[in-house]
Amino acid sequence: QSRLVESGGGLVQPGGSLRLSCGAAGFAFGSAAMTWVRQAPGKEREGVSCISRAGERTNYADSVKGRFTISRDNAKNTIYLHMNNLKPEDTAVYYCAAVYRSSGCTLNGDRPSYHYWGQGTQVTVST
């Protein structure tokens, strides 16, 4: 059974850091580009960061550039999102998503654009 499982969310103060993880199983992880997508209450889904299947290419939304870093470990079927200098506007449910593609990655926030989608982990940035 194919699945993506996110972890690492929680409550953090502004300026703090978190590391999200997403473990994959049941599909060809090494052939999939991976994306972190977030959705805040009352807002549309936003692609935050993505990484190509071999990890050689990454991309970030302007709102997180310089603060977030995406990485992957294909030996562990896992991707990570290191989030630094968190702001209240980063509060959202964070999902990881996978799509088979030969090169590059996408910041598309639409669920139908992906082959696999996780259940999400809540990140709350507040005092």
Side-chain angles (χ1 to χ4, degrees), residues 50-100:
C50 68
I51 188 166
S52 59
R53 61 183 189 176
E56 78 282 7
R57 295 189 65 178
T58 60
N59 200 7
Y60 298 90
D62 288 342
S63 56
V64 306
K65 279 181 181 176
R67 300 188 298 122
F68 291 10
T69 302
I70 191 171
S71 60
R72 68 188 293 162
D73 185 340
N74 284 358
K76 296 182 178 180
N77 283 6
T78 301
I79 65 166
Y80 305 95
L81 187 67
H82 297 257
M83 305 185 295
N84 296 319
N85 190 22
L86 283 161
K87 304 176 180 181
E89 51 263 42
D90 294 318
T91 295
V93 178
Y94 284 71
Y95 302 90
C96 66
V99 60
Y100 292 126

Side-chain angles (χ1 to χ4, degrees), residues 3-11 17-24 34-37 69 71 76-83 86 92-97 117-124:
R3 63 185 185 274
L4 293 169
V5 179
E6 301 93 337
S7 60
L11 173 64
S17 299
L18 281 176
R19 187 186 78 163
L20 304 184
S21 300
C22 172
M34 301 295 296
T35 301
W36 286 99
V37 177
T69 302
S71 60
K76 296 182 178 180
N77 283 6
T78 301
I79 65 166
Y80 305 95
L81 187 67
H82 297 257
M83 305 185 295
L86 283 161
V93 178
Y94 284 71
Y95 302 90
C96 66
W117 189 274
Q119 85 290 346
T121 185
Q122 176 71 47
V123 171
T124 302

